[in-house]
Amino acid sequence: MNKNQWLRVGLLALAVATALPAVAQRRKKAAVRPEARAVVASPASHQPGRYLILGSVPEKHNGQWVYLYTKGSMKEKPADSTKIEGGKFTFDRSVAEDGFAGQLYLPMTYALPFIVEEGVIQAPMNGPHAKGAPLNDERAKLSQEIENYADGFLGRYKAARKDTTLTPEERDAKCEAILNELYSGLEPRLLAVLDMHKDDGLGFYALTELMRGSSVDLAKAESYVSRAGKAVQQDPRVQEYLDSRRKLEATQPGAMFQDFKGLSDDQKEVRLSDYVGKGHYTLVDFWASWCGPCRAEMPHLKKALEVYGPKGLQVLGIAVWDKMEDYLKAVQELKLPWPQIFNKEEATDLYGISGIPQLILFAPDGKIVARDLRGARIAKTLDEILKTTGGKL
């Protein structure tokens, strides 16, 4: 599956189930626990300029913590947290401090997005939507509309992914066509919402869905942002997305590698340039110990090293979004024979990486040859290169 498909499947999944659990290959979220605070149980305590979240969750989660993320990036620490008591929890916060939208997160179980607006917001963590305040009610209706529209496309997409009569390239092309059809239909509806809600949370929601959901390049993303009001345009999450797209486009095939430093397994400082641009093709794997798809890719990397290593191929792992002790343990468990660099954040930021595994092939001079290599495409790409290099990598 190519990069655009990975980006767009995120919205397709969101359209069908808007209350998502944590996704394995996405960035793990930090958690900060303050002391438990008293639970506010009554909507009567709501004050002007503030919003009150009345949350509910199955009582088996009593004693666990719910984290609230608001303006700023989801990769930052949560804005607030509270403990579940009697299957209930609350947050009482200032609208002015929290931007346009947030997410409630019960680790590895529930994630519920909501719009920040004055009033009382009902937040059933095991339900599809936050409701009770006007913009949240409109968002729930819009999400249901998207779900109904996308449902048929999801079935077709799943069937195409499982179609063993097609080659991997044919499957990718068929899935791409299905996603293009889906988003061609969704785009006008989301643009209409953005035009009507330029500077509120519903417009922010429509804008972020447009940017991450379509086959978006930087120019198109910027055209979407230009239709929003100034406050939405300046939201840190919108700016972060645009910055990521700029970095992604700056590290496409043909571009020179972007260097960064990290730590080797023995805690010594190393750089990407210690391995890339040294006269050999280098396959670099951005991965994490907790990422299931990353682990599933390891046999393909081992096979590539076995077959193409004698021809000159080098393999390098970049451990990201992880803890040093966890990644070192995974290296031993998986018996990974290639060198590693531990770099928690900078590496993925430089290359505009939003999901892992991400495999990038670099040429002997350090230029990027290909991104998003997976499975059989690794061997196919290397075989094509060998035809032009006299059998040397």
mmCIF file of all heavy atoms in Angstrom, residues 296-343:
data_model
loop_
_atom_site.group_PDB
_atom_site.id
_atom_site.type_symbol
_atom_site.label_atom_id
_atom_site.label_comp_id
_atom_site.label_asym_id
_atom_site.label_seq_id
_atom_site.Cartn_x
_atom_site.Cartn_y
_atom_site.Cartn_z
ATOM 1 N N ALA A 296 6.242 -7.371 11.621
ATOM 2 C CA ALA A 296 5.861 -8.229 10.496
ATOM 3 C C ALA A 296 6.738 -7.998 9.274
ATOM 4 O O ALA A 296 6.848 -8.872 8.406
ATOM 5 C CB ALA A 296 4.390 -7.995 10.146
ATOM 6 N N GLU A 297 7.351 -6.820 9.196
ATOM 7 C CA GLU A 297 8.196 -6.494 8.041
ATOM 8 C C GLU A 297 9.609 -7.064 8.176
ATOM 9 O O GLU A 297 10.340 -7.168 7.185
ATOM 10 C CB GLU A 297 8.260 -4.979 7.883
ATOM 11 C CG GLU A 297 8.684 -4.487 6.509
ATOM 12 C CD GLU A 297 7.736 -4.897 5.403
ATOM 13 O OE1 GLU A 297 6.508 -4.871 5.640
ATOM 14 O OE2 GLU A 297 8.222 -5.258 4.318
ATOM 15 N N MET A 298 10.007 -7.442 9.382
ATOM 16 C CA MET A 298 11.387 -7.866 9.609
ATOM 17 C C MET A 298 11.820 -9.070 8.757
ATOM 18 O O MET A 298 12.952 -9.100 8.263
ATOM 19 C CB MET A 298 11.614 -8.158 11.094
ATOM 20 C CG MET A 298 11.477 -6.938 11.994
ATOM 21 S SD MET A 298 12.510 -5.539 11.457
ATOM 22 C CE MET A 298 12.082 -4.306 12.688
ATOM 23 N N PRO A 299 10.969 -10.092 8.560
ATOM 24 C CA PRO A 299 11.404 -11.199 7.701
ATOM 25 C C PRO A 299 11.742 -10.752 6.278
ATOM 26 O O PRO A 299 12.657 -11.300 5.657
ATOM 27 C CB PRO A 299 10.195 -12.143 7.717
ATOM 28 C CG PRO A 299 9.523 -11.866 9.012
ATOM 29 C CD PRO A 299 9.688 -10.388 9.225
ATOM 30 N N HIS A 300 11.029 -9.754 5.759
ATOM 31 C CA HIS A 300 11.334 -9.242 4.417
ATOM 32 C C HIS A 300 12.700 -8.548 4.401
ATOM 33 O O HIS A 300 13.461 -8.671 3.432
ATOM 34 C CB HIS A 300 10.248 -8.269 3.964
ATOM 35 C CG HIS A 300 8.898 -8.894 3.824
ATOM 36 N ND1 HIS A 300 8.582 -9.776 2.816
ATOM 37 C CD2 HIS A 300 7.774 -8.763 4.569
ATOM 38 C CE1 HIS A 300 7.329 -10.165 2.944
ATOM 39 N NE2 HIS A 300 6.820 -9.568 3.998
ATOM 40 N N LEU A 301 12.998 -7.830 5.487
ATOM 41 C CA LEU A 301 14.295 -7.164 5.568
ATOM 42 C C LEU A 301 15.429 -8.176 5.693
ATOM 43 O O LEU A 301 16.490 -8.025 5.073
ATOM 44 C CB LEU A 301 14.305 -6.209 6.761
ATOM 45 C CG LEU A 301 13.493 -4.927 6.602
ATOM 46 C CD1 LEU A 301 13.375 -4.205 7.940
ATOM 47 C CD2 LEU A 301 14.133 -4.013 5.585
ATOM 48 N N LYS A 302 15.201 -9.211 6.489
ATOM 49 C CA LYS A 302 16.228 -10.245 6.629
ATOM 50 C C LYS A 302 16.473 -10.938 5.289
ATOM 51 O O LYS A 302 17.626 -11.226 4.929
ATOM 52 C CB LYS A 302 15.801 -11.259 7.690
ATOM 53 C CG LYS A 302 15.838 -10.723 9.111
ATOM 54 C CD LYS A 302 15.442 -11.791 10.107
ATOM 55 C CE LYS A 302 15.512 -11.259 11.540
ATOM 56 N NZ LYS A 302 15.129 -12.288 12.536
ATOM 57 N N LYS A 303 15.403 -11.214 4.571
ATOM 58 C CA LYS A 303 15.542 -11.847 3.263
ATOM 59 C C LYS A 303 16.284 -10.932 2.293
ATOM 60 O O LYS A 303 17.153 -11.382 1.525
ATOM 61 C CB LYS A 303 14.156 -12.184 2.705
ATOM 62 C CG LYS A 303 14.189 -12.953 1.389
ATOM 63 C CD LYS A 303 14.798 -14.327 1.556
ATOM 64 C CE LYS A 303 14.686 -15.137 0.276
ATOM 65 N NZ LYS A 303 15.301 -16.478 0.414
ATOM 66 N N ALA A 304 15.966 -9.642 2.324
ATOM 67 C CA ALA A 304 16.651 -8.688 1.444
ATOM 68 C C ALA A 304 18.139 -8.654 1.748
ATOM 69 O O ALA A 304 18.975 -8.632 0.834
ATOM 70 C CB ALA A 304 16.040 -7.297 1.612
ATOM 71 N N LEU A 305 18.493 -8.651 3.024
ATOM 72 C CA LEU A 305 19.909 -8.623 3.390
ATOM 73 C C LEU A 305 20.607 -9.906 2.967
ATOM 74 O O LEU A 305 21.755 -9.885 2.486
ATOM 75 C CB LEU A 305 20.051 -8.410 4.898
ATOM 76 C CG LEU A 305 21.473 -8.204 5.417
ATOM 77 C CD1 LEU A 305 22.126 -6.981 4.783
ATOM 78 C CD2 LEU A 305 21.467 -8.069 6.941
ATOM 79 N N GLU A 306 19.900 -11.025 3.130
ATOM 80 C CA GLU A 306 20.474 -12.319 2.746
ATOM 81 C C GLU A 306 20.741 -12.384 1.244
ATOM 82 O O GLU A 306 21.808 -12.836 0.808
ATOM 83 C CB GLU A 306 19.523 -13.441 3.155
ATOM 84 C CG GLU A 306 19.965 -14.829 2.727
ATOM 85 C CD GLU A 306 18.905 -15.883 3.000
ATOM 86 O OE1 GLU A 306 17.978 -15.625 3.815
ATOM 87 O OE2 GLU A 306 18.978 -16.965 2.386
ATOM 88 N N VAL A 307 19.772 -11.918 0.446
ATOM 89 C CA VAL A 307 19.882 -12.035 -1.011
ATOM 90 C C VAL A 307 20.740 -10.934 -1.610
ATOM 91 O O VAL A 307 21.574 -11.184 -2.502
ATOM 92 C CB VAL A 307 18.470 -12.020 -1.650
ATOM 93 C CG1 VAL A 307 18.565 -11.987 -3.177
ATOM 94 C CG2 VAL A 307 17.674 -13.235 -1.184
ATOM 95 N N TYR A 308 20.570 -9.705 -1.124
ATOM 96 C CA TYR A 308 21.203 -8.559 -1.776
ATOM 97 C C TYR A 308 22.421 -8.030 -1.021
ATOM 98 O O TYR A 308 23.166 -7.208 -1.560
ATOM 99 C CB TYR A 308 20.186 -7.440 -1.954
ATOM 100 C CG TYR A 308 19.011 -7.857 -2.810
ATOM 101 C CD1 TYR A 308 17.804 -8.244 -2.230
ATOM 102 C CD2 TYR A 308 19.112 -7.888 -4.205
ATOM 103 C CE1 TYR A 308 16.726 -8.638 -3.005
ATOM 104 C CE2 TYR A 308 18.031 -8.282 -4.989
ATOM 105 C CZ TYR A 308 16.845 -8.664 -4.392
ATOM 106 O OH TYR A 308 15.782 -9.063 -5.161
ATOM 107 N N GLY A 309 22.611 -8.486 0.228
ATOM 108 C CA GLY A 309 23.792 -8.070 0.964
ATOM 109 C C GLY A 309 25.088 -8.417 0.244
ATOM 110 O O GLY A 309 25.997 -7.571 0.163
ATOM 111 N N PRO A 310 25.215 -9.636 -0.304
ATOM 112 C CA PRO A 310 26.436 -9.966 -1.047
ATOM 113 C C PRO A 310 26.663 -9.078 -2.272
ATOM 114 O O PRO A 310 27.788 -8.995 -2.770
ATOM 115 C CB PRO A 310 26.199 -11.424 -1.458
ATOM 116 C CG PRO A 310 25.262 -11.966 -0.417
ATOM 117 C CD PRO A 310 24.351 -10.820 -0.114
ATOM 118 N N LYS A 311 25.625 -8.429 -2.750
ATOM 119 C CA LYS A 311 25.759 -7.534 -3.905
ATOM 120 C C LYS A 311 26.062 -6.096 -3.475
ATOM 121 O O LYS A 311 26.200 -5.210 -4.311
ATOM 122 C CB LYS A 311 24.487 -7.573 -4.744
ATOM 123 C CG LYS A 311 24.111 -8.968 -5.242
ATOM 124 C CD LYS A 311 22.821 -8.940 -6.026
ATOM 125 C CE LYS A 311 22.320 -10.349 -6.342
ATOM 126 N NZ LYS A 311 23.274 -11.110 -7.177
ATOM 127 N N GLY A 312 26.072 -5.852 -2.156
ATOM 128 C CA GLY A 312 26.440 -4.531 -1.659
ATOM 129 C C GLY A 312 25.389 -3.824 -0.819
ATOM 130 O O GLY A 312 25.672 -2.787 -0.216
ATOM 131 N N LEU A 313 24.171 -4.345 -0.753
ATOM 132 C CA LEU A 313 23.110 -3.665 0.000
ATOM 133 C C LEU A 313 23.439 -3.594 1.482
ATOM 134 O O LEU A 313 23.868 -4.581 2.089
ATOM 135 C CB LEU A 313 21.771 -4.402 -0.177
ATOM 136 C CG LEU A 313 20.589 -3.798 0.594
ATOM 137 C CD1 LEU A 313 20.165 -2.465 -0.006
ATOM 138 C CD2 LEU A 313 19.407 -4.774 0.641
ATOM 139 N N GLN A 314 23.206 -2.426 2.068
ATOM 140 C CA GLN A 314 23.306 -2.222 3.504
ATOM 141 C C GLN A 314 21.900 -2.011 4.076
ATOM 142 O O GLN A 314 21.043 -1.424 3.419
ATOM 143 C CB GLN A 314 24.166 -0.997 3.822
ATOM 144 C CG GLN A 314 25.535 -0.989 3.163
ATOM 145 C CD GLN A 314 26.462 -2.037 3.715
ATOM 146 O OE1 GLN A 314 26.584 -2.180 4.928
ATOM 147 N NE2 GLN A 314 27.129 -2.779 2.834
ATOM 148 N N VAL A 315 21.671 -2.495 5.282
ATOM 149 C CA VAL A 315 20.393 -2.286 5.972
ATOM 150 C C VAL A 315 20.678 -1.585 7.291
ATOM 151 O O VAL A 315 21.644 -1.912 7.987
ATOM 152 C CB VAL A 315 19.649 -3.615 6.217
ATOM 153 C CG1 VAL A 315 18.371 -3.380 7.036
ATOM 154 C CG2 VAL A 315 19.302 -4.293 4.889
ATOM 155 N N LEU A 316 19.837 -0.621 7.624
ATOM 156 C CA LEU A 316 19.991 0.158 8.858
ATOM 157 C C LEU A 316 18.627 0.352 9.487
ATOM 158 O O LEU A 316 17.650 0.664 8.806
ATOM 159 C CB LEU A 316 20.609 1.523 8.539
ATOM 160 C CG LEU A 316 20.684 2.546 9.680
ATOM 161 C CD1 LEU A 316 21.678 2.079 10.750
ATOM 162 C CD2 LEU A 316 21.067 3.924 9.141
ATOM 163 N N GLY A 317 18.535 0.154 10.789
ATOM 164 C CA GLY A 317 17.293 0.403 11.512
ATOM 165 C C GLY A 317 17.343 1.736 12.240
ATOM 166 O O GLY A 317 18.381 2.112 12.793
ATOM 167 N N ILE A 318 16.218 2.453 12.231
ATOM 168 C CA ILE A 318 16.076 3.691 13.011
ATOM 169 C C ILE A 318 14.927 3.466 13.989
ATOM 170 O O ILE A 318 13.754 3.405 13.589
ATOM 171 C CB ILE A 318 15.768 4.909 12.116
ATOM 172 C CG1 ILE A 318 16.760 5.013 10.953
ATOM 173 C CG2 ILE A 318 15.773 6.177 12.969
ATOM 174 C CD1 ILE A 318 18.192 5.263 11.364
ATOM 175 N N ALA A 319 15.236 3.313 15.265
ATOM 176 C CA ALA A 319 14.216 3.085 16.289
ATOM 177 C C ALA A 319 13.628 4.424 16.707
ATOM 178 O O ALA A 319 14.356 5.309 17.164
ATOM 179 C CB ALA A 319 14.825 2.364 17.485
ATOM 180 N N VAL A 320 12.309 4.580 16.550
ATOM 181 C CA VAL A 320 11.643 5.856 16.797
ATOM 182 C C VAL A 320 10.450 5.657 17.734
ATOM 183 O O VAL A 320 9.946 4.548 17.880
ATOM 184 C CB VAL A 320 11.176 6.498 15.470
ATOM 185 C CG1 VAL A 320 12.367 6.741 14.547
ATOM 186 C CG2 VAL A 320 10.142 5.621 14.756
ATOM 187 N N TRP A 321 10.009 6.749 18.370
ATOM 188 C CA TRP A 321 8.801 6.762 19.197
ATOM 189 C C TRP A 321 8.821 5.630 20.231
ATOM 190 O O TRP A 321 7.815 4.965 20.470
ATOM 191 C CB TRP A 321 7.543 6.649 18.328
ATOM 192 C CG TRP A 321 7.455 7.630 17.214
ATOM 193 C CD1 TRP A 321 8.130 8.796 17.073
ATOM 194 C CD2 TRP A 321 6.640 7.525 16.039
ATOM 195 N NE1 TRP A 321 7.795 9.437 15.909
ATOM 196 C CE2 TRP A 321 6.879 8.672 15.249
ATOM 197 C CE3 TRP A 321 5.733 6.579 15.575
ATOM 198 C CZ2 TRP A 321 6.241 8.893 14.035
ATOM 199 C CZ3 TRP A 321 5.098 6.797 14.361
ATOM 200 C CH2 TRP A 321 5.348 7.942 13.600
ATOM 201 N N ASP A 322 9.969 5.391 20.821
ATOM 202 C CA ASP A 322 10.138 4.200 21.644
ATOM 203 C C ASP A 322 10.973 4.519 22.870
ATOM 204 O O ASP A 322 11.508 5.622 23.017
ATOM 205 C CB ASP A 322 10.827 3.111 20.805
ATOM 206 C CG ASP A 322 10.372 1.702 21.167
ATOM 207 O OD1 ASP A 322 9.826 1.513 22.273
ATOM 208 O OD2 ASP A 322 10.575 0.788 20.340
ATOM 209 N N LYS A 323 11.103 3.543 23.755
ATOM 210 C CA LYS A 323 12.009 3.623 24.884
ATOM 211 C C LYS A 323 13.246 2.794 24.562
ATOM 212 O O LYS A 323 13.147 1.718 23.964
ATOM 213 C CB LYS A 323 11.340 3.089 26.151
ATOM 214 C CG LYS A 323 10.131 3.890 26.608
ATOM 215 C CD LYS A 323 9.513 3.261 27.852
ATOM 216 C CE LYS A 323 8.299 4.050 28.316
ATOM 217 N NZ LYS A 323 7.652 3.415 29.500
ATOM 218 N N MET A 324 14.393 3.290 24.970
ATOM 219 C CA MET A 324 15.644 2.616 24.660
ATOM 220 C C MET A 324 15.622 1.156 25.114
ATOM 221 O O MET A 324 15.991 0.244 24.369
ATOM 222 C CB MET A 324 16.810 3.359 25.301
ATOM 223 C CG MET A 324 18.159 2.673 25.186
ATOM 224 S SD MET A 324 18.826 2.601 23.504
ATOM 225 C CE MET A 324 19.511 4.257 23.362
ATOM 226 N N GLU A 325 15.167 0.909 26.342
ATOM 227 C CA GLU A 325 15.187 -0.458 26.860
ATOM 228 C C GLU A 325 14.257 -1.384 26.078
ATOM 229 O O GLU A 325 14.558 -2.566 25.856
ATOM 230 C CB GLU A 325 14.840 -0.482 28.351
ATOM 231 C CG GLU A 325 13.471 0.082 28.718
ATOM 232 C CD GLU A 325 13.488 1.565 29.033
ATOM 233 O OE1 GLU A 325 14.373 2.283 28.524
ATOM 234 O OE2 GLU A 325 12.603 2.004 29.796
ATOM 235 N N ASP A 326 13.114 -0.843 25.619
ATOM 236 C CA ASP A 326 12.167 -1.666 24.867
ATOM 237 C C ASP A 326 12.708 -2.005 23.481
ATOM 238 O O ASP A 326 12.563 -3.127 22.997
ATOM 239 C CB ASP A 326 10.826 -0.938 24.729
ATOM 240 C CG ASP A 326 10.109 -0.789 26.052
ATOM 241 O OD1 ASP A 326 10.446 -1.533 27.002
ATOM 242 O OD2 ASP A 326 9.213 0.077 26.155
ATOM 243 N N TYR A 327 13.338 -1.015 22.854
ATOM 244 C CA TYR A 327 13.865 -1.272 21.513
ATOM 245 C C TYR A 327 15.051 -2.234 21.554
ATOM 246 O O TYR A 327 15.189 -3.128 20.708
ATOM 247 C CB TYR A 327 14.190 0.055 20.825
ATOM 248 C CG TYR A 327 15.597 0.259 20.371
ATOM 249 C CD1 TYR A 327 16.080 -0.356 19.216
ATOM 250 C CD2 TYR A 327 16.464 1.085 21.083
ATOM 251 C CE1 TYR A 327 17.389 -0.156 18.797
ATOM 252 C CE2 TYR A 327 17.754 1.285 20.670
ATOM 253 C CZ TYR A 327 18.225 0.665 19.530
ATOM 254 O OH TYR A 327 19.507 0.859 19.121
ATOM 255 N N LEU A 328 15.915 -2.087 22.566
ATOM 256 C CA LEU A 328 17.049 -2.999 22.689
ATOM 257 C C LEU A 328 16.584 -4.431 22.925
ATOM 258 O O LEU A 328 17.156 -5.384 22.372
ATOM 259 C CB LEU A 328 17.964 -2.546 23.832
ATOM 260 C CG LEU A 328 18.765 -1.263 23.586
ATOM 261 C CD1 LEU A 328 19.531 -0.869 24.853
ATOM 262 C CD2 LEU A 328 19.725 -1.428 22.421
ATOM 263 N N LYS A 329 15.544 -4.592 23.719
ATOM 264 C CA LYS A 329 14.986 -5.915 23.956
ATOM 265 C C LYS A 329 14.423 -6.507 22.664
ATOM 266 O O LYS A 329 14.619 -7.696 22.369
ATOM 267 C CB LYS A 329 13.884 -5.831 25.015
ATOM 268 C CG LYS A 329 13.243 -7.163 25.348
ATOM 269 C CD LYS A 329 12.156 -7.002 26.411
ATOM 270 C CE LYS A 329 11.480 -8.333 26.715
ATOM 271 N NZ LYS A 329 10.378 -8.158 27.709
ATOM 272 N N ALA A 330 13.750 -5.664 21.865
ATOM 273 C CA ALA A 330 13.174 -6.138 20.601
ATOM 274 C C ALA A 330 14.260 -6.551 19.612
ATOM 275 O O ALA A 330 14.096 -7.523 18.867
ATOM 276 C CB ALA A 330 12.294 -5.054 19.993
ATOM 277 N N VAL A 331 15.370 -5.808 19.589
ATOM 278 C CA VAL A 331 16.479 -6.167 18.700
ATOM 279 C C VAL A 331 16.973 -7.577 19.016
ATOM 280 O O VAL A 331 17.248 -8.381 18.106
ATOM 281 C CB VAL A 331 17.633 -5.145 18.831
ATOM 282 C CG1 VAL A 331 18.896 -5.664 18.137
ATOM 283 C CG2 VAL A 331 17.225 -3.808 18.232
ATOM 284 N N GLN A 332 17.056 -7.912 20.309
ATOM 285 C CA GLN A 332 17.489 -9.242 20.705
ATOM 286 C C GLN A 332 16.436 -10.297 20.380
ATOM 287 O O GLN A 332 16.752 -11.375 19.865
ATOM 288 C CB GLN A 332 17.805 -9.262 22.209
ATOM 289 C CG GLN A 332 18.972 -8.372 22.611
ATOM 290 C CD GLN A 332 20.271 -8.772 21.941
ATOM 291 O OE1 GLN A 332 20.606 -9.949 21.868
ATOM 292 N NE2 GLN A 332 21.006 -7.783 21.436
ATOM 293 N N GLU A 333 15.192 -9.980 20.688
ATOM 294 C CA GLU A 333 14.102 -10.936 20.419
ATOM 295 C C GLU A 333 13.987 -11.260 18.942
ATOM 296 O O GLU A 333 13.780 -12.420 18.558
ATOM 297 C CB GLU A 333 12.769 -10.364 20.912
ATOM 298 C CG GLU A 333 12.632 -10.278 22.418
ATOM 299 C CD GLU A 333 11.345 -9.592 22.832
ATOM 300 O OE1 GLU A 333 10.684 -8.971 21.976
ATOM 301 O OE2 GLU A 333 11.004 -9.668 24.020
ATOM 302 N N LEU A 334 14.095 -10.238 18.110
ATOM 303 C CA LEU A 334 13.929 -10.403 16.673
ATOM 304 C C LEU A 334 15.212 -10.827 15.962
ATOM 305 O O LEU A 334 15.187 -11.108 14.769
ATOM 306 C CB LEU A 334 13.407 -9.096 16.064
ATOM 307 C CG LEU A 334 12.026 -8.642 16.553
ATOM 308 C CD1 LEU A 334 11.754 -7.211 16.134
ATOM 309 C CD2 LEU A 334 10.943 -9.568 16.027
ATOM 310 N N LYS A 335 16.312 -10.853 16.717
ATOM 311 C CA LYS A 335 17.620 -11.251 16.161
ATOM 312 C C LYS A 335 17.959 -10.430 14.911
ATOM 313 O O LYS A 335 18.229 -10.966 13.839
ATOM 314 C CB LYS A 335 17.641 -12.751 15.847
ATOM 315 C CG LYS A 335 17.469 -13.639 17.073
ATOM 316 C CD LYS A 335 17.539 -15.112 16.692
ATOM 317 C CE LYS A 335 17.574 -16.012 17.913
ATOM 318 N NZ LYS A 335 16.385 -15.881 18.769
ATOM 319 N N LEU A 336 17.934 -9.123 15.085
ATOM 320 C CA LEU A 336 18.198 -8.220 13.965
ATOM 321 C C LEU A 336 19.707 -8.068 13.779
ATOM 322 O O LEU A 336 20.403 -7.595 14.686
ATOM 323 C CB LEU A 336 17.554 -6.854 14.209
ATOM 324 C CG LEU A 336 16.043 -6.871 14.466
ATOM 325 C CD1 LEU A 336 15.518 -5.451 14.633
ATOM 326 C CD2 LEU A 336 15.300 -7.589 13.350
ATOM 327 N N PRO A 337 20.226 -8.419 12.613
ATOM 328 C CA PRO A 337 21.673 -8.419 12.419
ATOM 329 C C PRO A 337 22.253 -7.098 11.927
ATOM 330 O O PRO A 337 23.470 -6.972 11.813
ATOM 331 C CB PRO A 337 21.863 -9.512 11.357
ATOM 332 C CG PRO A 337 20.615 -9.434 10.528
ATOM 333 C CD PRO A 337 19.506 -9.054 11.482
ATOM 334 N N TRP A 338 21.412 -6.115 11.616
ATOM 335 C CA TRP A 338 21.926 -4.862 11.067
ATOM 336 C C TRP A 338 22.040 -3.805 12.168
ATOM 337 O O TRP A 338 21.386 -3.896 13.211
ATOM 338 C CB TRP A 338 21.019 -4.361 9.941
ATOM 339 C CG TRP A 338 19.545 -4.360 10.261
ATOM 340 C CD1 TRP A 338 18.838 -3.412 10.935
ATOM 341 C CD2 TRP A 338 18.599 -5.383 9.929
ATOM 342 N NE1 TRP A 338 17.516 -3.758 11.038
ATOM 343 C CE2 TRP A 338 17.339 -4.969 10.426
ATOM 344 C CE3 TRP A 338 18.689 -6.604 9.241
ATOM 345 C CZ2 TRP A 338 16.183 -5.744 10.263
ATOM 346 C CZ3 TRP A 338 17.543 -7.370 9.095
ATOM 347 C CH2 TRP A 338 16.304 -6.934 9.593
ATOM 348 N N PRO A 339 22.854 -2.779 11.945
ATOM 349 C CA PRO A 339 23.026 -1.729 12.959
ATOM 350 C C PRO A 339 21.758 -0.906 13.151
ATOM 351 O O PRO A 339 20.883 -0.870 12.280
ATOM 352 C CB PRO A 339 24.164 -0.880 12.393
ATOM 353 C CG PRO A 339 24.128 -1.118 10.920
ATOM 354 C CD PRO A 339 23.682 -2.540 10.746
ATOM 355 N N GLN A 340 21.701 -0.237 14.298
ATOM 356 C CA GLN A 340 20.527 0.553 14.662
ATOM 357 C C GLN A 340 20.948 1.933 15.150
ATOM 358 O O GLN A 340 22.030 2.104 15.716
ATOM 359 C CB GLN A 340 19.741 -0.129 15.800
ATOM 360 C CG GLN A 340 19.283 -1.533 15.512
ATOM 361 C CD GLN A 340 18.085 -1.594 14.598
ATOM 362 O OE1 GLN A 340 17.304 -0.639 14.523
ATOM 363 N NE2 GLN A 340 17.914 -2.716 13.910
ATOM 364 N N ILE A 341 20.069 2.900 14.938
ATOM 365 C CA ILE A 341 20.202 4.228 15.540
ATOM 366 C C ILE A 341 18.915 4.509 16.304
ATOM 367 O O ILE A 341 17.816 4.374 15.753
ATOM 368 C CB ILE A 341 20.423 5.326 14.483
ATOM 369 C CG1 ILE A 341 21.732 5.102 13.721
ATOM 370 C CG2 ILE A 341 20.435 6.702 15.146
ATOM 371 C CD1 ILE A 341 21.958 6.108 12.598
ATOM 372 N N PHE A 342 19.043 4.878 17.578
ATOM 373 C CA PHE A 342 17.882 5.253 18.379
ATOM 374 C C PHE A 342 17.690 6.764 18.274
ATOM 375 O O PHE A 342 18.553 7.538 18.652
ATOM 376 C CB PHE A 342 18.092 4.846 19.835
ATOM 377 C CG PHE A 342 16.935 5.197 20.734
ATOM 378 C CD1 PHE A 342 15.791 4.419 20.750
ATOM 379 C CD2 PHE A 342 16.989 6.310 21.564
ATOM 380 C CE1 PHE A 342 14.719 4.740 21.587
ATOM 381 C CE2 PHE A 342 15.934 6.638 22.396
ATOM 382 C CZ PHE A 342 14.790 5.848 22.399
ATOM 383 N N ASN A 343 16.547 7.187 17.726
ATOM 384 C CA ASN A 343 16.235 8.608 17.562
ATOM 385 C C ASN A 343 14.739 8.759 17.773
ATOM 386 O O ASN A 343 13.945 8.432 16.895
ATOM 387 C CB ASN A 343 16.653 9.106 16.179
ATOM 388 C CG ASN A 343 16.391 10.590 15.992
ATOM 389 O OD1 ASN A 343 15.252 11.036 15.973
ATOM 390 N ND2 ASN A 343 17.456 11.363 15.840
#
